[in-house]
Amino acid sequence: MARQMISKQVHQSQQYGGGDWGLGVAVSGDGDSLAFSHGGRDEGFVANVVMWPNRGRGIAILSNGVAGGLLQEIVRGFAEEYGVPSAPRTEKQVGAIDAAAWVGLAGRYAMPSGRDTLMLDVTVDAAAGLLTMSSPVQRRTMQLLPLKGDTFFS
């Protein structure tokens, strides 16, 4: 039963997140690179478990917070240290954009988030070249960096 659990049973279409699933866990790779994982989040924590059974390696992470980006970096660091496969880090280059053009971006935005609507406040400090976005409910502020045109990343 354990072997069936970590064997590819179903392939999900991209509409449902894509990838292969065993019995209750996501499954990727084959042979030595076979991995199974399961993650989750609830208000106040994010968790992820990734195991490479044919390599005898695995990592379980539980963090307080609701952002999963840090978990991906921890898994990547683990993969680099212990020689297991991992998704490559996405590298982005900060674009050169006239900060004065950002002034019109300041304001309050509504973003659908599941069945809720998240309110985001965007502020611009053109003199310092800073665009920030904050969520009063999540009590979180992040700097937005220009990618190109009107596309930004944190």
Side-chain angles (χ1 to χ4, degrees):
M1 185 53 96
R3 279 185 184 55
Q4 287 184 15
M5 182 178 164
I6 63 172
S7 296
K8 295 174 185 175
Q9 304 286 333
V10 175
H11 181 78
Q12 293 291 321
S13 67
Q14 199 58 36
Q15 175 185 359
Y16 299 106
D20 295 304
W21 285 82
L23 302 177
V25 294
V27 180
S28 63
D30 291 298
D32 249 12
S33 66
L34 174 72
F36 65 92
S37 62
H38 196 289
R41 65 180 278 170
D42 202 346
E43 211 48 51
F45 77 89
V46 179
N48 196 25
V49 173
V50 183
M51 306 300 268
W52 295 266
N54 297 336
R55 292 180 181 229
R57 302 274 188 212
I59 184 171
I61 309 163
L62 178 64
S63 70
N64 58 343
V66 292
L70 176 61
L71 274 67
Q72 294 167 356
E73 287 299 315
I74 292 171
V75 169
R76 262 194 287 281
F78 178 88
E80 289 172 10
E81 182 67 27
Y82 293 101
V84 294
S86 176
R89 180 176 288 117
T90 303
E91 302 226 2
K92 297 178 182 175
Q93 297 293 324
V94 175
I97 295 179
D98 178 15
W102 297 350
V103 174
L105 299 175
R108 177 163 272 199
Y109 293 83
M111 180 179 86
S113 179
R115 293 183 299 198
D116 296 325
T117 300
L118 188 61
M119 299 307 293
L120 303 170
D121 294 319
V122 174
T123 57
V124 176
D125 182 344
L130 293 174
L131 182 69
T132 57
M133 179 175 68
S134 62
S135 169
V137 172
Q138 292 181 325
R139 291 175 278 171
R140 183 172 176 205
T141 300
M142 67 181 73
Q143 182 179 352
L144 299 177
L145 303 169
L147 187 61
K148 64 180 179 178
D150 61 355
T151 303
F152 297 83
F153 65 96
S154 64

